[in-house]
Amino acid sequence: MIKFYFNLAPNPMKVALALEEMELPYEPIPIDTRKGEQFAPAYVKINLNGKVPAIVDGEVTVFDSNAILLYLAGETQRFLPEPTPANRGALLSWLMFVASGIGPYSGQAVHFRHHAPEPKEYALNRYDFEAERHYKILDARLQEQRYMVGSTYTIVDMAVWGWARLVPHVMGSAQAWSKFPNVKRLLDEVSARPAAQAVERLRSRYTFKTEMDDEARRFMFPQLARLGMK
């Protein structure tokens, strides 16, 4: 059985969706990053980077959510497009677009909007702009077709779903969806799937620390200590 190390952040949740969609048996193992559990020696042996998610599948360990999606799809041969060079190129390109663009810029926008100390105007403006630009690229792609890789629901759509759920939080407004109607359409469609509903049940089974107190900031933002901040 696959061991799935997770919390409720976007990257672990897209892996949870893939596990449910692929009907793979797995053992969920919560890692509470606001309590510093990602730095426990037993977990660092699994992922030296001290991030979630990670999976252990027998003798195979995979970390990074996008690597996990590729691994699971490769093992099951499910949720991949028709095996043509063009489709493979599109799948890899858009999956890496989420990995290198949507995820990092969304995450930094959240950090500077909700957690960073002042002054932060320049940084927030930069990451807001880039997050919005990246979501507009997704929206333009989804205006042309139902899914990210043509007419087939794939692991790329799962990766988009993981982050799209947080668009209002990322952009700081519930009205943000007016800018990305096609992303919202995909989000709603995937969220209605039985696998996504199973992910919501998984989320409800576990309680993670929500307070961003001094302990949480120490584990989540250790760089602040270098500036003499708590």
Side-chain angles (χ1 to χ4, degrees):
M1 180 180 292
I2 294 172
K3 294 183 178 180
F4 171 43
Y5 298 85
F6 79 104
N7 63 12
L8 304 183
N11 286 329
M13 290 299 94
K14 66 193 186 190
V15 172
L17 179 64
L19 288 166
E20 293 289 347
E21 290 281 18
M22 296 173 191
E23 302 175 291
L24 293 169
Y26 66 94
E27 176 189 357
I29 302 172
I31 300 293
D32 198 327
T33 53
R34 294 193 183 192
K35 293 181 179 179
E37 293 176 356
Q38 70 273 34
F39 302 122
Y43 185 70
V44 171
K45 286 183 180 179
I46 295 167
N47 185 356
L48 189 61
N49 193 31
K51 303 288 185 180
V52 288
I55 64 168
V56 176
D57 183 15
E59 296 182 354
V60 177
T61 298
V62 189
F63 62 89
D64 183 90
S65 59
N66 299 283
I68 295 170
L69 292 180
L70 284 170
Y71 171 79
L72 295 176
E75 288 295 295
T76 62
Q77 287 299 297
R78 297 186 66 188
F79 301 101
L80 295 169
E82 289 296 317
T84 67
N87 281 342
R88 179 169 173 77
L91 180 131
L92 292 173
S93 295
W94 287 107
L95 189 62
M96 294 306 108
F97 179 82
V98 176
S100 64
I102 292 293
Y105 284 110
S106 295
Q108 292 298 325
V110 167
H111 174 74
F112 284 104
R113 181 179 303 284
H114 299 287
H115 303 296
E118 298 289 352
K120 58 185 181 181
E121 181 179 0
Y122 173 81
L124 179 57
N125 179 67
R126 168 173 168 74
Y127 287 109
D128 258 1
F129 178 88
E130 286 297 323
E132 180 174 332
R133 184 178 73 84
H134 280 74
Y135 281 109
K136 283 181 175 178
I137 292 171
L138 286 186
D139 202 73
R141 174 72 171 179
L142 290 167
Q143 186 174 9
E144 299 174 353
Q145 53 200 37
R146 182 175 179 182
Y147 298 116
M148 289 300 300
V149 187
S151 60
T152 303
Y153 174 56
T154 71
I155 56 172
V156 181
D157 304 295
M158 299 176 199
V160 171
W161 177 85
W163 280 101
R165 294 160 52 252
L166 271 71
V167 160
H169 189 59
V170 170
M171 305 307 302
S173 170
Q175 309 308 313
W177 282 124
S178 63
K179 299 178 180 179
F180 320 117
N182 299 294
V183 177
K184 182 63 162 61
R185 185 258 306 159
L186 178 68
L187 172 65
D188 290 344
E189 178 178 338
V190 176
S191 295
R193 293 176 66 90
Q197 294 167 21
V199 172
E200 291 305 316
R201 291 193 293 272
L202 172 70
R203 291 171 58 85
S204 69
R205 285 165 47 196
Y206 295 91
T207 300
F208 291 85
K209 182 175 180 177
T210 58
E211 299 85 2
M212 188 57 75
D213 56 15
D214 288 346
E215 177 192 47
R217 279 188 288 272
R218 185 169 68 254
F219 290 126
M220 299 290 290
F221 313 125
Q223 72 276 9
L224 296 180
R226 299 176 63 181
L227 301 175
M229 302 176 181
K230 290 185 177 181

